[in-house]
Structures are given as C-alpha cells and as structure tokens.
Amino acid sequence: MKLTVIIPVHNEVETLDAFLAAVTPVLEQTEHTFEYLFVDDGSKDATFSVLQQKAHTNPRIKVVRLSRNFGKECALLAGFDNAGGDAVLVMDVDLQDPPEVIPDMLAAWREGAKVVLTRRDNRDSDSYWKRSTAGWFYKIYNAMARVKIPDNVSDFCLLDREAVDAFVQLRERCRFNKGLFAWIGYEPVVIPYMRPARTQGESSWPMAKLWSFALDGLTSFSTRPLKLWTYIGSIIAVLSLFYGLFIVIRTLLYGVDTPGYASLIAVVSFLGGIQLVSLGVLGEYLARVYSEVKDRPVYLVRQKIGF
Ligand code: UDP
Ligand code: MG
C-alpha cells in the first residue's frame, strides 16, 4: 500500500532539507512505500529550483508547481488532485507537524479509519492572542455550523483513498479544509499531539489573513449569520412598536414633551450601525457568491515534475 505525503510550500527554501531529513527515516520504518508530493504555491525564492534538483536525484519526490500563490487551502487541493497513494498524508514543511505521530496515524488507518485528524494539545508555540482568538473561533464555528469540527484540529491529517475521492469533488474556491474534511463524513479518528514552534523560516499567517480565513470558514459552513438579521430586525421592530404606543399614550395623557434630542440621536445612530453591520454580513456572503459564480479554477498548474 502506497502513501502520498502532500507538502504545500511557499518560500520555504531553508526548511526543505530539515523536513526530508526528519520525515524520511520515520516513513522508511513503516511497512508502506511512499512518495513526497510538494506543491509549490508560487514561491518567490529558490524553493522550486531546489525541489527540481531533489526530484532529479530522488525518485520519491514529485513536484506540482502552481502558476502563482493561491494560498495553502487551494494548494492542498492541487496536492489531492495529483496524489496517487492509497492514503494521503498532509504535512506542513516547517516540522510543526511532528513526524513521530505518523506511525500512530498509519496504524489508525490500517485499523480502518478513513479520516485521521490530529489535535494540538498545546498551543504554546502561538501567541496568547492567537490562542484565544482560535479558541473563540472554534466555539463560534461549532455553535453555527451544522457539521462540527473537533476543537484545535490541525491540517496535519491522513485520508484514505475513499475520503480523498470524496474530498476532490468539493471544488469551491473559498476553501476551509478543516470544515471540508468534516463535511465529507467518515467519522474521524483524532490523535492528540504536542505542537512545537517553527524552527526556520516564518509563519505566513498575519492576523488580517487569519480573520478573512475565519470568515471563509464560517460563511462556507453556516448561513446563520445571514438569517440572524430577520430575528434581530423583528425584535427591534416589535420593541419600537411598543415604544411608539407608549409615547403616543404618554403624549395624550401628559401633553408634548419636547426634550429628547439625545435619545433620538442615540437610537438613530444605533439603528444606522445595526443596518450597516447587516449589510456588511450580506456583503461577505455576496462577495463569496460572486467568486463562486465566476467559476474560475481553484488553482492553475505551471509545471509538474516526477509524474
Ligand atoms: N503555505 C502555502 N501557501 C501559503 C502559505 C503557506 O503553501 O500561501 C505552506 C507553508 O509553506 C507551510 C504550510 O503552508 O508548509 C503552513 O504555513 P505556516 O507555517 O506559515 O502556517 P502556521 O504554521 O503558522 O499556521
Ligand atoms: Mg507553521
């Protein structure tokens, strides 16, 4: 049985050697044959030429080079599309996904699991801010999405061929892989691990990118933010009706009470704010609908090596 290891890489020239040196001995000790499938996600440094050289001398290495940077989520789809193994393992190149966990994942797969996920049991390598926002994200996501994802799962995972064939049918452009892995079904086996800090290179996930990624995740798997406004609007309308009645009755009983400028401004600006927020939510969905209807491919391949 053959294993394909997909590794998305973006400007990772200094991490490649360490990755191969750490992962190869672990894979060689398993009973499976394996291949590396690097997806070069539009690297600007020498990542591709180094991979090309390695692929010439090492028959286990395959490379798919994308035409530009499409982002990790899309790069992974390129990997899955080109993976030939009976099982597919997804790993980051920075060794934040410890190779020691791979034998356990393979064991779970041999015991019949179609989807093997891993869960970070410490997030010490992340800042306090990133940890707490991530914690909130999982809470909000699972409160809203119909198909839940386990807390703190990472992209470090293993899929059986059957699950891979299901996964590659999902061709959406705003991709949130953790949600997609859950969406295809196949009760996952979750293996906990300790996540070390990145040794070389640097993380390419600034806060702004994480924020839009979180919105991609929520909007892809829940329409609740969209529907919420019907209820918020109804509640405000009913409250306003009662308040209007109250004012009319009070005026009839006690006459006109002119002061009220401050409360008027407060109510008008509050409602203005609420309306803009609801428009913004509509916009988030509309923008994604727009990018889906254009029906562009999820990624473009520039070159393939080793196939
Ligand atoms: N990556 C990618 N395309 C991108 C950004 C990142 O293929 O646009 C790859 C990167 O080379 C690495 C993996 O995705 O192998 C995880 O990236 P990173 O370590 O920056 O993310 P973090 O661990 O901070 O979540
Ligand atoms: Mg990393």
Side-chain angles (χ1 to χ4, degrees), residues 92 94 96 195 198:
D92 285 357
D94 56 11
Q96 282 192 290
R195 188 171 175 88
R198 203 182 225 278

Side-chain angles (χ1 to χ4, degrees), residues 8 10 12 41 69 72 93-94 96 195 198 203-205:
H10 177 235
E12 298 282 6
D41 188 15
N69 180 250
K72 180 180 173 185
V93 73
D94 56 11
Q96 282 192 290
R195 188 171 175 88
R198 203 182 225 278
S203 167
S204 39
W205 292 92

Side-chain angles (χ1 to χ4, degrees), residues 131-202:
R131 262 195 325 249
S132 47
T133 47
W136 275 104
F137 172 75
Y138 287 105
K139 281 206 182 63
I140 296 173
Y141 182 95
N142 282 331
M144 295 213 256
R146 243 168 50 83
V147 188
K148 317 283 176 219
I149 49 179
D151 270 2
N152 281 322
V153 284
S154 61
D155 288 341
F156 180 29
C157 64
L158 187 142
L159 265 64
D160 179 74
R161 171 56 39 200
E162 204 176 314
V164 173
D165 289 342
F167 181 81
V168 296
Q169 290 177 44
L170 310 176
R171 310 304 296 185
E172 60 211 72
R173 285 132 202 93
C174 302
R175 301 186 72 80
F176 181 64
N177 286 328
K178 286 172 202 173
L180 297 175
F181 291 146
W183 189 90
I184 58 172
Y186 301 103
E187 199 52 47
V189 171
V190 183
I191 297 178
Y193 74 102
M194 295 296 189
R195 188 171 175 88
R198 203 182 225 278
T199 44
Q200 276 137 339
E202 52 192 88

Side-chain angles (χ1 to χ4, degrees), residues 264-298:
L264 198 66
I265 287 291
V267 168
V268 167
S269 50
F270 174 71
L271 284 182
I274 294 249
Q275 283 171 350
L276 287 179
V277 172
S278 67
L279 269 180
V281 172
L282 266 177
E284 291 289 343
Y285 281 89
L286 184 64
R288 286 170 177 84
V289 170
Y290 183 51
S291 76
E292 298 296 338
V293 294
K294 280 185 286 190
D295 205 25
R296 292 177 184 158
V298 179

Side-chain angles (χ1 to χ4, degrees), residues 247-267:
I247 292 195
V248 169
I249 293 167
R250 198 181 60 175
T251 310
L252 289 176
L253 293 179
Y254 302 108
V256 183
D257 179 17
T258 333
Y261 177 73
S263 57
L264 198 66
I265 287 291
V267 168

Side-chain angles (χ1 to χ4, degrees), residues 4-10 35-43 47-48 51-52 55 61-68 70 74-84 299-307:
T4 301
V5 185
I6 301 178
I7 315 107
V9 283
H10 177 235
E35 62 180 10
Y36 293 111
L37 174 51
F38 287 93
V39 182
D40 177 23
D41 188 15
S43 296
T47 303
F48 178 72
L51 283 175
Q52 198 172 22
I61 296 185
K62 294 181 174 178
V63 188
V64 171
R65 183 190 197 184
L66 304 186
S67 63
R68 65 169 169 85
F70 283 88
C74 299
L76 276 185
L77 180 66
F80 279 109
D81 283 339
N82 290 284
Y299 61 84
L300 286 176
V301 175
R302 176 164 169 190
Q303 211 173 335
K304 282 191 193 181
I305 294 173
F307 286 87

